[in-house]
């Protein structure tokens, strides 16, 4: 049975907490990015200087600062610096449009924007469109250096564990992003309950996350988890293509890698896939979408390390349902992470029986407070102690959960539920299929049938009839895709989630 985790004290500042944890290792390497490195002692000083610099700009406690930053050593400095000052950092996706950023600027009423040089023109256009006049600080420029030239702020803001610490915008896999409001304590809880207790992150680890820091998954992987134990983290500004990932894995001796299912599929399909002897991986983590069994098994066969697949969300900040190292059941999301509680609820409102599909609800200490300025969505999602995940799952008699699709993706064919993910996972077993997505499509009689969008591996061929027969041989007859369309790529968010709502819109057009 897991050892209970003590809660943080009532007065708690997340940035101060992480700096104090590492005060005895000032010379230990904390971060390595594409151009620089940062030791723990340097991180401590820069965070406190940045905090003072923000306050010097006139940004006040609890006001928001938009962070349009690529992953570099400046990201943890800015994020933790804001927390240390009691200012609220709002990291955002770095691949959005001017209109998206203008919306977010106005929505969070940003008083400052911390931006990477490569995004400065986009940021300027977004600021102009928003009608706001925030202070602009550019990473790698004189404006960032001026903040770091401030005298270090001696004392962190006297914040409470439940004070608003930071925001994250939902990734947009189901539509318009929502400003998800998290507390200072939530960073503590995810590191303790999942990073340490499940993954076993340790000081000797070298961590690398393909998921970027602006994403809830990436923020834990590359900031909270390593800093909570004094580990070293590799950061990468460019997009996580297989060659870019392989370069970091082999050059830096990464021991713990974090990715998403689409990334693992791309890595395995790449001609540049390194040999097991070229890497030092001891464990990998997957989240964002359920990891197909075939991908997990092939990755483990090749590299000799497990991929621990789990379910998390922006609303819960990180993973709360997961497989365990040494007890990985590929094709499932594993068991509840100790410290959280789960329940499955059927359409009738009853508790789901073993093997029965139900809506997944989670209760735990890392839940967000609300969606900012969206009472209707907040009430629908945050229901007392329970958070409605929007996912459907089944649970077996051993307490192991298997993904059955998003609540708005589930299909009813011939009066029976069909999990799009189950069909996708089966198609993924075909040797010619790189990735796929399944949605519902009305046939000529207005009845819902399954349609699969399929991306084939380079140089591979298949046909509509071949793939249909492949699925029929493995699933109940009513589950095979009646329609198949071959496409070059699937629409995805920057964090690799397939945007099925865009595929549905495409069908309606």
């Amino acid at each position: 049975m897991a050892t209970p985790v003590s809660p943080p004290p009532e007065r708690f500042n997340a940035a101060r907490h992480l700096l104090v944890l590492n005060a005895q290792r000032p010379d230990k390497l904390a971060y390595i990015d594409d151009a620089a490195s940062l030791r723990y002692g340097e991180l401590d000083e820069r965070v406190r200087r940045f905090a003072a610099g923000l306050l010097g700009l006139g940004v006040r406690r609890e006001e928001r600062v938009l962070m349009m930053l690529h992953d570099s050593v400046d990201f943890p400095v800015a994020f933790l610096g804001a927390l240390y000052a009691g200012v609220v950092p709002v990291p955002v996706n770095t691949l959005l449009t001017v209109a998206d950023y203008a919306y977010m600027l106005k929505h969070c009423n940003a008083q400052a924007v911390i931006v990477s040089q490569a995004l400065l023109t986009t940021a300027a256009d977004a600021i102009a469109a928003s009608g706001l006049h925030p202070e602009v600080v550019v990473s790698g420029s004189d404006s960032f250096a001026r903040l770091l030239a401030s005298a270090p702020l001696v004392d962190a803001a006297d914040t409470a564990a439940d004070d608003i610490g930071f925001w994250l915008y939902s990734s947009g896999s189901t539509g318009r992003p929502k400003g998800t409001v998290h507390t200072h304590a939530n960073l503590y809880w995810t590191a303790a309950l999942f990073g340490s207790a499940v993954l076993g992150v340790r000081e000797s680890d070298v961590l690398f996350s393909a998921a970027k820091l602006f994403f809830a998954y990436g923020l834990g992987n590359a900031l909270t988890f390593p800093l909570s134990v004094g580990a070293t983290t590799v950061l990468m500004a460019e997009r996580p293509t297989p060659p870019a990932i392989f370069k970091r894995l082999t050059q830096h001796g990464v021991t713990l890698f974090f990715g998403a299912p689409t990334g693992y599929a791309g890595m395995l399909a790449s001609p540049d896939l390194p040999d097991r002897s070229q890497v030092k991986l001891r464990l990998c983590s997957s989240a964002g979408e359920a990891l197909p069994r075939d991908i997990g098994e092939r990755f483990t066969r090749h590299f000799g390390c497990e991929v621990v697949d789990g379910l998390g969300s922006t609303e819960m900040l990180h993973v709360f349902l997961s497989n365990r190292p040494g007890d990985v059941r590929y094709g499932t999301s594993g068991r509840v992470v100790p410290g959280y509680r789960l329940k499955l609820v059927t359409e009738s409102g009853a508790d789901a029986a073993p093997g029965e599909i139900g809506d997944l609800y989670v209760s735990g200490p890392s839940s967000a407070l609300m969606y900012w300025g969206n009472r209707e969505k907040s009430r629908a999602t945050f229901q007392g102690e329970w958070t409605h995940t929007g996912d459907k799952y089944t649970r077996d008699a051993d307490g192991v959960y298997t993904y059955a699709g998003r609540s708005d993706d589930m299909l009813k064919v011939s009066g029976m539920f069909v999990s799009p993910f189950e069909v996708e996972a089966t198609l993924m077993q075909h040797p010619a299929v790189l990735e796929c997505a399944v949605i519902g499509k009305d046939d000529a009689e207005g009845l819902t049938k399954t349609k699969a969008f399929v991306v084939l591996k380079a140089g591979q061929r298949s046909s509509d009839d071949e793939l249909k027969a492949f699925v029929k041989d493995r699933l109940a007859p009513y589950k095979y895709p009646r329609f198949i369309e071959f496409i070059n790529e699937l629409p995805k968010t920057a964090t690799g989630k397939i945007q099925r709502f865009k595929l549905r819109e495409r069908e309606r057009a």
Side-chain angles (χ1 to χ4, degrees):
M1 189 169 180
T3 302
V5 176
S6 299
E10 182 179 347
R11 307 307 300 178
F12 179 80
N13 182 287
R16 180 185 181 279
H17 168 72
L18 292 173
L19 296 182
V20 169
L21 285 178
N22 294 292
Q24 302 307 310
R25 52 175 71 91
D27 297 324
K28 173 74 186 294
L29 197 59
Y31 284 102
I32 307 168
D33 71 12
D34 301 331
S37 61
L38 201 60
R39 300 186 182 277
Y40 272 101
E42 295 170 319
L43 176 65
D44 182 293
E45 183 171 353
R46 289 192 190 184
V47 165
R48 293 188 295 112
R49 287 181 181 276
F50 194 89
L54 271 183
L55 297 176
L57 287 178
V59 181
R60 296 173 295 182
R61 181 168 167 173
E62 298 184 3
E63 290 183 332
R64 271 77 63 190
V65 172
L66 200 76
M67 292 177 56
M68 295 173 59
L69 283 178
H70 290 131
D71 283 16
S72 74
V73 296
D74 284 347
F75 191 111
V77 168
F79 183 83
L80 294 173
L83 289 176
Y84 196 89
V87 172
V88 179
V90 185
V92 294
N93 187 330
T94 56
L95 295 172
L96 299 179
T97 65
V98 168
D100 291 325
Y101 292 127
Y103 164 75
M104 291 174 175
L105 281 163
K106 292 183 69 174
H107 184 247
C108 76
N109 192 28
Q111 299 303 299
V113 177
I114 317 300
V115 59
S116 292
Q117 185 74 50
L119 297 172
L120 184 56
T121 299
T122 302
D125 291 344
I127 290 170
S130 73
L132 301 179
H133 303 282
E135 297 286 343
V136 178
V137 179
V138 183
S139 172
S141 75
D142 290 344
S143 58
F144 202 95
R146 281 195 294 273
L147 265 63
L148 294 181
S150 306
L153 190 63
V154 176
D155 296 319
D158 181 25
T159 52
D162 287 340
D163 277 354
I164 293 173
F166 60 101
W167 296 15
L168 294 172
Y169 277 94
S170 62
S171 61
S173 59
T174 57
R176 196 173 195 181
K178 301 175 288 292
T180 311
V181 180
H182 280 283
T183 69
H184 277 262
N186 288 359
L187 293 167
Y188 169 90
W189 284 116
T190 56
L193 297 177
F194 185 69
S196 293
V198 174
L199 295 182
V201 181
R202 50 193 184 236
E203 184 179 1
S204 59
D205 275 321
V206 178
L207 290 79
F208 173 52
S209 176
K212 298 300 185 180
L213 280 161
F214 66 75
F215 182 37
Y217 181 48
L219 187 66
N221 304 341
L223 192 145
T224 323
F225 295 178
L227 296 189
S228 68
V229 298
T232 298
T233 303
V234 177
L235 297 177
M236 178 179 75
E238 65 184 291
R239 296 192 69 172
T241 62
I245 292 172
F246 299 151
K247 178 180 177 181
R248 274 71 184 184
L249 295 182
T250 56
Q251 284 190 354
H252 298 293
V254 172
T255 60
L256 188 50
F257 172 70
F258 300 82
T262 52
Y264 285 107
M267 291 166 69
L268 289 169
S270 172
D272 302 316
L273 185 69
D275 185 74
R276 181 187 300 193
S277 63
Q278 296 176 270
V279 302
K280 296 183 179 180
L281 292 171
R282 70 170 184 86
L283 188 66
C284 292
S285 167
S286 180
E289 290 191 293
L291 181 73
R293 178 193 300 272
D294 178 62
I295 292 175
E297 290 177 344
R298 287 194 290 126
F299 195 92
T300 295
R301 281 198 301 269
H302 184 84
F303 285 111
C305 70
E306 295 175 315
V307 182
V308 178
D309 185 33
L311 174 71
S313 67
T314 303
E315 290 77 10
M316 296 303 294
L317 189 55
H318 215 278
V319 172
F320 51 83
L321 169 63
S322 181
N323 282 274
R324 305 289 194 278
D327 184 25
V328 171
R329 300 192 188 186
Y330 287 124
T332 79
S333 297
R335 296 181 172 87
V336 61
V337 171
Y340 294 91
R341 291 186 296 138
L342 300 177
K343 66 177 180 179
L344 292 178
V345 180
T346 67
E347 284 188 316
S348 65
D351 290 337
E356 187 176 13
I357 291 175
D359 286 301
L360 182 68
Y361 289 76
V362 56
S363 176
S366 65
S367 175
L369 296 173
M370 60 179 153
Y371 298 127
W372 188 265
N374 196 331
R375 184 183 178 101
E376 180 181 359
K377 287 286 187 181
S378 294
R379 294 181 68 179
T381 299
F382 306 107
Q383 301 176 15
E385 65 176 312
W386 294 99
T387 297
H388 182 215
T389 68
D391 293 300
K392 285 187 179 289
Y393 267 83
T394 61
R395 180 184 61 243
D396 68 15
D398 295 327
V400 175
Y401 288 74
T402 300
Y403 184 61
R406 290 287 299 174
S407 297
D408 52 1
D409 288 336
M410 287 296 292
L411 308 174
K412 218 168 194 179
V413 178
S414 302
M416 292 174 283
F417 274 119
V418 174
S419 163
F421 181 78
E422 185 180 23
V423 182
E424 291 166 6
T426 303
L427 281 167
M428 287 293 293
Q429 295 172 29
H430 191 282
V433 175
L434 175 63
E435 55 185 359
C436 60
V438 171
I439 64 168
K441 173 184 172 68
D442 289 346
D443 64 13
E445 297 177 310
L447 300 173
T448 300
K449 297 293 186 291
T450 49
K451 175 171 182 176
F453 293 85
V454 175
V455 180
L456 296 176
K457 295 176 182 175
Q460 296 288 321
R461 288 187 175 185
S462 188
S463 68
D464 184 296
D465 290 340
E466 179 184 358
L467 292 183
K468 288 179 179 178
F470 185 84
V471 177
K472 281 182 182 179
D473 286 344
R474 289 160 176 79
L475 295 180
Y478 68 90
K479 294 184 178 181
Y480 85 92
R482 270 47 167 202
F483 311 97
I484 292 180
E485 182 177 343
F486 295 97
I487 58 177
N488 293 326
E489 62 179 359
L490 297 173
K492 299 172 187 171
T493 68
T495 52
K497 289 185 179 181
I498 296 170
Q499 294 174 306
R500 290 173 180 80
F501 75 95
K502 287 191 174 181
L503 296 175
R504 289 192 288 268
E505 289 173 354
R506 172 175 170 162
E507 284 300 302
R508 291 194 294 266

